[in-house]
């Protein structure tokens, strides 16, 4: 394994609603012997709310520049942060004029394109690699999992690191840990509805319910995911969806880093598994 | 019926000048975007292909006042599948920004609360450098509901149970993993002066 150190960009949800993902990411990389250096004084990537691409480029130039000054590739656990960091890196590398203009806003925004942005899932499977992970796995996950990818992992193609229609990186990890992937290809890349949660909750809830229902009828013990906004929608808001639609779902939703942490033998409490909104106790009983 | 004398032939150029709108004229109306769209599944009127064709024809007013503009998820499914690389997701975003400019100029009234939400979100980023959920909600709900009191009521309805859930799971509030008032108080970066410069520059670029 070649990676020993990465710049870590936690993203805004890491401080509140996705604390569990943040904790488990840090624990997993510590166990794997990869040092994570938090991007000092990082700022928000603009998420989906910054519709002006120029704003996205300027906001993310700063984060990229901080990582670049430390000569470290930048890794994030959030799909939207990843998309914004990666498309900014691409735009600034390809457009010298834009790059110079952004540097002109403030010298701290000088990014020269020498480091790249990566998502946690990409780093785990493609950079650290399956062989290395396999050698460190000590527990078997005796569970059925619905691997849910959402957006920005396989699309758009400029920044994608997996297949747009049938992504497999999480499937591979789950198999490696002894888990079983339930048939889920119809739902894998459907948007969770998150971006409409605050303005059209009816549509957002409908989308999230479809994903959770499908996981349930496929016999999954849990849904695994790799993005804090998906986590917000499918886990943190699940009780609100149940109430609004007058249904029972009760589907545990966990981050892929939480599952990997269990397989690596890390204690559940250090993976934030007490913080997922839908109870994960039954799931933990199936880790042997 | 399309009244040709009411069309705005300049509209397509207006869109193509916006970042993300550049590839509008590449569209050959195959409808792949619309067939695969998860929103069209739920809201049958939602038709990105039609929005593009109307834009090409110059139906400026009809396009900008279409409420469906505001239910795009930005999920990029259309962009990924488009055989002509129109970049539909970014294109719709460019059209939304033109609508917002028209509203600012008093030429259009946008019914959707989405611009209010996006603005409130970005205000917290400009001020603190990071998203501040509570600050966002405190700006968004009163604006959406038209008064402070109605806003508080709507916010409570949406977020009381959610907030308590996050509190008891230790994700927000005194039980938080990182500090006593995590999530309750904003997480402020040191270089907020750089944030101000960034937002000022981006705003100028939009003009």
């Amino acid at each position: 394994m070649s990676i020993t150190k990465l710049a870590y960009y936690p993203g805004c949800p890491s401080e509140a609603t996705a604390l569990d993902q943040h904790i488990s990411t840090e624990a997993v990389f510590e166990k794997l012997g990869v040092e994570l250096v938090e991007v000092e004084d990082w700022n928000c990537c603009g998420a989906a709310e910054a519709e002006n691409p120029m704003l996205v480029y300027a906001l993310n130039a700063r984060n990229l520049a901080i990582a670049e000054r430390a000569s470290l590739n930048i890794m994030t656990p959030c799909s939207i942060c990843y998309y914004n960091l990666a498309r900014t890196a691409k735009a600034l590398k390809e457009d010298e004029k834009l790059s110079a203009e952004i540097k002109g806003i403030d010298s701290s925004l000088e990014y020269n394109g020498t480091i790249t942005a990566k998502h946690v899932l990409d780093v785990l499977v493609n950079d650290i690699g399956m062989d290395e992970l396999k050698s460190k796995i000590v527990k078997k996950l005796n569970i059925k999992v619905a691997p849910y990818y959402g957006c920005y992992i396989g699309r758009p193609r400029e920044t994608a690191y997996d297949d747009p229609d049938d992504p497999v990186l999480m499937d591979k990890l789950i198999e490696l840990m002894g888990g079983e992937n339930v048939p889920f290809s119809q739902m894998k890349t459907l948007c969770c509805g998150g971006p409409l949660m605050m303005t059209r909750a009816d549509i957002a809830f409908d989308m999230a319910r479809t994903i959770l229902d499908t996981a349930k009828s496929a016999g999954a013990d849990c849904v695994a995911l790799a993005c804090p906004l998906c986590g917000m929608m499918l886990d943190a808001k699940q009780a609100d969806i149940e109430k609004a639609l007058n249904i029972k779902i009760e589907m545990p939703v966990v981050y892929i880093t939480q599952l990997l942490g269990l397989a690596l033998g890390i204690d559940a409490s250090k993976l934030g598994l007490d913080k997922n909104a839908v109870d994960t106790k039954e799931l933990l009983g199936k880790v042997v | 019926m399309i009244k040709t004398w009411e069309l705005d032939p300049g509209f397509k150029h207006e869109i193509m000048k916006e970042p993300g709108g550049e590839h509008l004229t590449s569209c050959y109306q195959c409808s792949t975007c619309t067939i695969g769209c998860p929103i069209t599944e739920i809201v049958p009127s939602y038709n990105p292909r039609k929005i593009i064709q109307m834009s090409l024809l110059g139906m400026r007013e009809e396009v900008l006042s279409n409420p469906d503009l505001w239910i795009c998820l930005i999920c990029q499914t259309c962009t990924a599948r488009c055989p002509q690389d129109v970049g539909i997701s970014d294109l719709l975003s460019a059209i939304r920004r033109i609508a917002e400019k028209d509203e600012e100029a008093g030429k259009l009234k946008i019914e959707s609360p989405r611009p209010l939400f996006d603005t409130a979100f970005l205000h917290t980023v400009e001020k603190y450098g990071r998203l501040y959920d509570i600050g966002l909600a405190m700006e968004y709900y009163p604006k959406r509901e038209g008064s402070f009191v109605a806003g508080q009521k709507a916010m409570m309805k949406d977020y009381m149970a959610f907030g308590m859930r996050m509190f008891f799971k230790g994700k927000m509030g005194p039980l938080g993993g990182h500090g006593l008032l995590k999530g309750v108080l904003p997480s402020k970066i040191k270089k907020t002066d750089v944030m101000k410069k960034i937002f000022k520059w981006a705003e100028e670029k939009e003009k």
Side-chain angles (χ1 to χ4, degrees):
Chain A
M1 188 185 68
S2 51
I3 305 174
T4 52
K5 211 171 172 183
L6 285 164
Y8 176 54
Y9 177 82
C12 303
S14 70
E15 302 192 307
T17 55
L19 192 55
D20 37 6
Q21 187 189 28
H22 174 59
I23 295 172
S24 59
T25 302
E26 289 192 323
V28 161
F29 279 83
E30 192 191 339
K31 192 80 178 180
L32 293 171
V34 179
E35 190 188 341
L36 299 186
V37 183
E38 188 166 317
V39 175
E40 205 198 331
D41 204 40
W42 56 269
N43 58 266
C44 172
C45 74
E49 282 71 15
E51 290 232 65
N52 176 0
M54 294 303 149
L55 179 58
V56 171
Y57 297 154
L59 285 171
N60 289 282
R62 181 170 177 271
N63 295 320
L64 288 164
I66 297 168
E68 190 172 57
R69 283 198 288 276
S71 302
L72 295 170
N73 282 330
I74 186 168
M75 178 185 78
T76 176
C78 171
S79 288
I80 299 182
C81 299
Y82 164 70
Y83 173 56
N84 284 336
L85 285 165
R87 67 172 161 145
T88 300
K90 191 171 181 292
L92 297 186
K93 256 187 256 183
E94 285 172 2
D95 190 340
E96 273 178 38
K97 202 176 141 240
L98 177 68
S99 183
E101 200 180 336
I102 284 179
K103 188 183 141 192
I105 302 170
D106 190 275
S107 60
S108 67
L109 308 187
E110 181 180 355
Y111 165 66
N112 298 307
T114 63
I115 58 124
T116 54
K118 295 251 178 177
H119 186 275
V120 165
L121 183 61
D122 189 14
V123 172
L124 286 172
V125 181
N126 294 326
D127 295 346
I128 293 175
M130 298 295 274
D131 293 339
E132 172 73 16
L133 293 175
K134 194 176 174 185
S135 72
K136 293 201 165 144
I137 284 175
V138 293
K139 291 206 170 176
K140 185 174 189 288
L141 305 188
N142 227 341
I143 52 172
K144 291 183 176 179
V145 185
Y148 174 70
Y149 294 78
C151 315
Y152 306 116
I153 288 179
R155 63 178 182 253
R157 81 180 73 91
E158 290 75 16
T159 51
Y161 55 91
D162 205 341
D163 189 89
D165 298 311
D166 191 17
V168 293
L169 296 186
M170 244 193 293
D171 295 53
K172 279 164 119 182
L173 268 183
I174 289 158
E175 269 170 37
L176 190 72
M177 299 185 279
E180 182 189 334
N181 292 297
V182 301
F184 207 54
S185 51
Q186 295 280 332
M187 290 299 131
K188 273 183 176 180
T189 64
L190 184 77
C191 176
C192 69
L196 291 179
M197 187 177 73
M198 293 288 277
T199 53
R200 279 299 297 270
D202 56 330
I203 298 177
F205 283 9
D206 198 352
M207 300 192 69
R209 193 212 55 187
T210 308
I211 293 159
L212 292 165
D213 270 355
T214 309
K216 201 173 180 179
S217 29
D221 296 309
C222 69
V223 170
L225 39 76
C227 168
L229 188 58
C230 303
M232 171 91 156
M233 207 53 220
L234 300 181
D235 181 47
K237 297 289 284 182
Q238 196 178 120
D240 299 311
I241 297 167
E242 288 178 327
K243 196 172 168 229
L245 303 177
N246 197 19
I247 50 169
K248 273 269 160 259
I249 306 172
E250 291 172 336
M251 172 58 66
V253 178
V254 293
Y255 293 102
I256 191 70
T257 42
Q258 291 182 301
L259 289 182
L260 183 58
L262 289 173
L264 293 170
I266 302 169
D267 192 71
S269 66
K270 288 186 179 154
L271 296 166
L273 278 152
D274 54 336
K275 298 187 188 305
N276 301 62
V278 182
D279 200 85
T280 58
K281 277 195 200 77
E282 207 177 312
L283 204 63
L284 297 180
K286 295 181 181 175
V287 179
V288 289
Chain B
M1 195 202 297
I2 298 168
K3 295 170 185 151
T4 49
W5 60 91
E6 282 178 6
L7 298 177
D8 178 353
F11 187 42
K12 57 178 171 292
H13 302 295
E14 192 181 352
I15 294 172
M16 288 167 79
K17 257 189 263 162
E18 283 286 328
E22 299 91 344
H23 310 293
L24 172 66
T25 49
S26 300
C27 175
Y28 58 31
Q29 293 286 298
C30 71
S31 218
T32 303
C33 53
T34 307
I35 293 161
C37 176
I39 288 294
T40 309
E41 289 267 317
I42 299 171
V43 184
S45 70
Y46 186 75
N47 191 327
R49 180 204 56 80
K50 202 168 161 184
I51 293 172
I52 293 173
Q53 182 63 9
M54 289 167 78
S55 302
L56 286 166
L57 284 170
M59 300 170 76
R60 192 177 191 281
E61 213 182 303
E62 289 89 339
V63 169
L64 297 184
S65 60
N66 184 348
D68 284 352
L69 280 182
W70 306 97
I71 56 173
C72 164
L73 291 157
I74 327 181
C75 75
Q76 308 281 342
T77 307
C78 51
T79 296
R81 293 181 183 172
C82 176
Q84 284 291 95
D85 287 339
V86 172
I88 302 149
S89 195
D90 291 350
L91 174 71
L92 290 173
S93 169
I95 297 176
R96 283 193 292 274
R97 294 200 307 277
I98 295 174
E100 286 182 68
K101 278 184 225 171
D102 263 25
E103 187 178 50
E104 244 172 72
K107 291 190 273 185
L108 178 74
K109 173 85 188 88
I110 298 168
E111 296 298 333
S112 164
R114 184 150 152 189
L116 296 177
F117 177 74
D118 289 354
T119 305
F121 183 108
L122 294 175
H123 276 160
T124 73
V125 178
E126 184 175 5
K127 198 165 171 191
Y128 306 111
R130 292 181 191 170
L131 167 64
Y132 174 39
D133 290 300
I134 295 175
L136 157 61
M138 290 295 279
E139 176 179 331
Y140 171 61
Y141 278 101
K143 277 194 181 159
R144 190 186 79 180
E145 299 300 318
S147 83
F148 182 78
V149 175
Q152 299 304 305
K153 257 173 87 178
M155 183 165 77
M156 285 300 158
K157 185 173 166 280
D158 282 3
Y159 276 92
M160 192 65 199
F162 176 86
M164 291 312 280
R165 207 177 306 134
M166 292 297 103
F167 173 83
F168 284 114
K169 287 290 180 179
K171 284 182 166 178
M172 280 175 148
L175 306 173
H178 280 312
L180 201 58
L181 289 169
K182 198 49 108 180
V184 176
L185 294 176
S187 171
K188 195 173 177 176
I189 71 166
K190 288 182 206 131
K191 294 284 182 185
T192 47
D193 56 321
V194 178
M195 291 297 112
K196 292 216 164 50
K197 284 190 202 171
I198 288 175
F199 275 83
K200 194 165 169 264
W201 172 80
E203 208 172 285
E204 286 297 318
K205 287 288 273 188
E206 273 285 87
K207 279 177 189 163

